[in-house]
Amino acid sequence: MADVKRVYTFGNKEAEGNGKMRELLGGKGANLAEMNLIGIPVPPGFTITTEVCAEYYRHGKQAVIEMLRPEVEKAMHNIERLTGMKFGDAQTPLLVSVRSGARASMPGMMDTILNLGMNDQAVEAVSKRTGNPRFAWDSYRRFVQMYGDVVLGMKPVSKEDHDPFEEIIDALKARRGVKNDTDLTTDDLKELVRSFKEAVKRQTGEDFPACPWEQLWGAVCAVFGSWMNERAILYRKLNNIPAEWGTAVSVQAMVFGNMGENSATGVAFSRDAATGENIFNGEYLINAQGEDVVAGIRTPQQITIEGSKRWAKAQNIPEAERAAKYPSLEEVMPAVYKELDEIQHHLEQYFKDMQDIEFTIQDGKLWMLQCRNGKRTGAAMVKIAMDMLREGLIDEKTAVLRCEPAKLDELLHPVFDKKAIASAQVITKGLPASPGAATGPVVFFAEDAEKELARTGQKAILVRIETSPEDLKGMLDAAGILTARGGMTSHAAVVARGMGKCCVSGAGELEIDYKARTIKVNGFTVKEGDWISLNGSTGEVYLGQVATKAADLSGDFGKLMELAGKYSVLKVRANADTPKDARQAFEFGAEGIGLCRTEHMFFEGDRIKAIREMILADDEAGRRVALGKLLPMQRGDFEGLFKAMNGFPVTVRLLDPPLHEFVPHDEKGQREMAAEMNVPLQKIVAKVESLAEFNPMLGHRGCRLGNTYPEITEMQTRAIIEAAMNVKASGMPVHVEIMVPLVGNHKELRYQKQIIDSTAEQVFSERNDKIEYMVGTMIEVPRAAVTANQIAEVAEFFSFGTNDLTQMTLGFSRDDIGKFLPIYLEKGILKNDPFQILDRNGVGQLIREAVFKGRGTRENLKCGICGEHGGEPSSVEFCHYAGLNYVSCSPFRVPIARLAAAHAALNQK
Ligand code: PEP
Ligand code: MG
């Protein structure tokens, strides 16, 4: 234990750590060290390691202080040596800042304390040394306020209460009749310090600590403590940051941006974090401390002239007024600006990424307080990576790895206008089921979405307790879908993602009253026709219309996709059910269709009528008549799919869902069906009842349908083969794969294959021609995975249906998981929603076993995945490692999967 080094010093172009030590020093500590090593002016200081954070939680406050004391005292002497000041000294007191810094940046999530070391003697000394008593007392007042808040817990008593310190300030300002903090005199500030301390004594029963060392230990421990504050926990959860990482603490000599008109503080980016444009930009404030820029009390000014002019234009401020009232740093302090510009350039060239920097100018001297790779939007991410590649700053592989697959999503769907969203009223939150932004009037029934569109040309927001295949057309006509029930693989979620349509699912707080046509939620009542807006990327639901703008797929996006293709091993296909989806997928670079859910074709126009006729038929002959009506429609759809894919493989799955999904369950619908089919209502009711099952997902569905009604398989095979032959005859290449769903036993597949082969032979002999086709199966029943060696005797390819495979392996209903998932996540029983992120240890092992056994039987067995996981980056990575040939996902996830596939291949080395 004695040998463990817990504190790393830096200062005056020397450092014990370096930029590679993020795990130990946190991002901030590592970069502070590195900036010193490359000659950037940084106030001296030291970093306490992230390992100490773990020790803090293991051994407690006092033990950690004792462990740290010798090293921290030594490190403090180092700062004293470099600054010529002394911590706790009455004449030349050294003041320090204490900041957090985790391995991954967590902006604003943990606590910071400035001006530490201030007390009744120090304030006098600072006042004397600077000749600026107001500055000294303002620094003291800020310190007592920050320390009181962060370390001593001087928070508002309840949500409705004000911050206790702000209350004191407001009361004083009211007494003095002034509006701004800057109007307060030195005497006012003295009074504030006194009142603040009294408030601390009143609330905590303790005196405000005057001893700098006591202050320091309190602050260091408070930073460790803030690792577990609610904000930080939530941020980690949202960004998948493990709690074990801990935070480091950096202690640094204070430099002051509030020492007068020749001092300033600011934040800047080496490129535009919103658009990626290669333009240095940022904000600063004269005579201010860091928190003033963030707090937004004073209007910060732009750093560059160009930025300042753009800002003024957006605010409608005339040039003369801008130059007089809001000049840029470039204009106000040209020499310092020049140095800052050189430093930002140096840092970007050095770290080879866009930098987010914090700086302070103390009496004309520039100091860098922090630099890190800047957070950016999806659009900026792609542009910056491609620009840096063109500039020769990074190579192709780095450019690909720089782009986070999941963030591409932002580029593919319409997005909300940032300003509009900031002021929008959130009424509830559901699951971010399908990304994008949607706004429109509320409708509660699928046909009303169609009507709304036909009548007004306006797309509606379809609000349902849950959706069913009957709602498909309405979903297609809606701008977005909101459901009260259902998880990330619920019908609404899957279908919406497939359509690239915004969807928020499982918003459990919604009380939907279909009769009254209202939604009640959190005190709001929304009626049919009222506008709401959905954010499919966050799950937020807003009241009213929030402005959106279309996604912009620039040339850089295409270039990135080209590089992703170059470096990936896995192919990416799309799940597409219509020629339109297929064309969209092809445009996004899909190399085939991995899943066409044929049943989705049954809901349009007259088709539902034909399928209902088949369901109602009393015998095989009647069923064949009805199926005969469906044949030309299916054939036409398949032709469209084959054409759109231009020779890439198209996997068509035979009918999968239980038949009850095709009949209405409410009386009104049943009456309509009876009238339309010209049969007594009683017959419909009886049929619907006979189709009812206790466990439809485990009932009469999948290949069980084709094996009990072989004529369905016959019709579908005929439609597929005839379509392929027609397209081939028109001179286009076709690649046909027929897929049998829900096989658990190789004999189920053998029966289906016999029907498929004999039907194909029949078509071949009728046409006196032949085409190649393959027959394969979905692996979505656990038994199929463990008997894959037998199944592969028949199947020419496997496609893992990980929606059902997850459902049956974990025993979680994919439609009901929403009821317990949030609690399971909170308790840590589950780390993720297994329907979103593949359960590697369970489902993943079944996949590995099936691939291994399948290829044991058939060496070149083609294996892919077509469950929702096929478009989720970490699951795509798993598929790469498991040796699959391709992943298949909704068209709008194709680019994400392509980039994730490239990442998996590049990261493997
Ligand atoms: C699956 O189960 O993973 C699958 C793709 O089929 P579906 O979602 O249609 O049941
Ligand atoms: Mg399935």
Side-chain angles (χ1 to χ4, degrees), residues 115 196 256 263 303 316 356 368 399 699 720 742 747 769 801 815 871:
N115 309 339
F196 283 2
F256 298 95
S263 300
I303 287 179
N316 276 329
D356 166 352
M368 304 308 291
I720 297 165
L742 219 72
K747 288 187 193 151
D769 195 3
D815 294 310

Side-chain angles (χ1 to χ4, degrees), residues 597 653 656 701 741-742 778 780 801-805 814:
R597 292 176 164 104
R653 181 178 74 182
D656 181 52
R701 62 171 286 223
L742 219 72
M778 298 198 58
E780 50 186 345
T802 45
N803 300 336
D804 274 310
L805 193 57
R814 55 199 270 192

